[in-house]
Amino acid sequence: MPRLRSRWLLAIAATVVTSVLFIDFCNLVYACGCRSLWAGADAMCNIHHAGAKHCPWCSIGLAGSVSVWLAIVGAQSLCALRAGGGWILRSALTFGAFPVVGGALAVALGVAQGYWS
């Protein structure tokens, strides 16, 4: 039982970190102007500027952004709850899923929407 509880705590911790840094990751990938949740969030995102290319994550709406977030958190939870190995490896896989899965989704959406062209 303690092993399962520690795996759930890892999944919850990863979800919290992803939730707090999700919008910062958006700006890291797209340089769109999004800021930390406590610093204005999407208030300065290029989605609010006419004529500018719009940030792919912000332009897909709330349902789209939540879907991206769920894909990341789902991958992290899978790593936390199912990955073998010791605590360090499982933690690295769990937290590493954020930039790997998030980056892959961000690049796919950016390319699909012609953001960098």
Side-chain angles (χ1 to χ4, degrees), residues 2 6 9-10 17 32 47 52 60 70 77 106 109:
S6 68
L9 289 174
L10 178 59
V17 169
C32 58
I47 198 166
I60 59 176
L70 282 172
S77 296
L109 282 169

Side-chain angles (χ1 to χ4, degrees), residues 10-24:
L10 178 59
I12 291 166
T15 299
V16 169
V17 169
T18 298
S19 299
V20 170
L21 298 178
F22 185 76
I23 197 161
D24 296 294

Side-chain angles (χ1 to χ4, degrees), residues 62-84:
L62 181 61
S65 294
V66 168
S67 296
V68 170
W69 178 85
L70 282 172
I72 296 167
V73 169
Q76 288 179 306
S77 296
L78 188 64
C79 290
L81 299 173
R82 296 289 187 176

Side-chain angles (χ1 to χ4, degrees), residues 19 46 54 64 80 100 103 117:
S19 299
N46 61 19
H54 290 167
V100 171
S117 59

